[in-house]
Amino acid sequence: MENKKPIENIRDIQLLVDTFYAKVREDSLLGPIFEDVIKDNWDVHLAKMYSFWQTVLLKERTYRGAPFVPHAKLPIAKQHFDAWLKLFHATLAENFVGKAAEEAKWRSEQMALMFQNKLNYDRDRQSSALM
């Protein structure tokens, strides 16, 4: 019997975020990058992610910030975003159904694409400035 459910409240967001980041921490590609940046501050990072996804999926305005900025200087490329999406989509598929789960999938794809484009643009600008 499946225990999948709609994403309806903060407890569902916490399950999504906690389950996803447990996968990230074990991933051989993503884990070291996250550990290097977050170190022992996982509680702070997870709380930020609860707030971010609560704002995005539940329309409860609890997140204030610029999500791209912390990623701008990370050593990440397309393969990292692909791995991130694979884990995020797997977490959604294993635990959730419904409109908010589909929205989370779509939003994650859009965010990965936007972040990649911005990173590439910034890196191209920096390379051009050095010439």
Side-chain angles (χ1 to χ4, degrees), residues 43-62:
D43 290 345
V44 172
H45 180 69
L46 294 175
K48 226 179 264 183
M49 295 301 93
Y50 301 152
S51 180
F52 175 80
W53 287 108
Q54 181 181 15
T55 297
V56 170
L57 298 177
L58 302 179
K59 312 300 185 238
E60 298 170 2
R61 305 285 177 218
T62 59

Side-chain angles (χ1 to χ4, degrees), residues 116-128:
Q116 287 177 77
N117 288 339
K118 286 182 84 163
L119 284 170
N120 291 337
Y121 176 78
D122 288 350
R123 290 172 183 162
D124 287 346
R125 269 188 40 219
Q126 288 174 356
S127 294
S128 298

Side-chain angles (χ1 to χ4, degrees), residues 12-32:
D12 298 330
I13 297 291
Q14 290 167 334
L15 175 63
L16 169 62
V17 169
D18 291 345
T19 305
F20 169 66
Y21 280 103
K23 293 175 191 280
V24 165
R25 291 179 85 171
E26 292 179 10
D27 187 79
S28 62
L29 181 65
L30 299 177

Side-chain angles (χ1 to χ4, degrees), residues 33 37 68-76 119 122-123 126:
I33 294 170
V37 173
F68 176 73
V69 174
H71 300 84
K73 295 194 187 300
L74 293 178
I76 53 178
L119 284 170
D122 288 350
R123 290 172 183 162
Q126 288 174 356

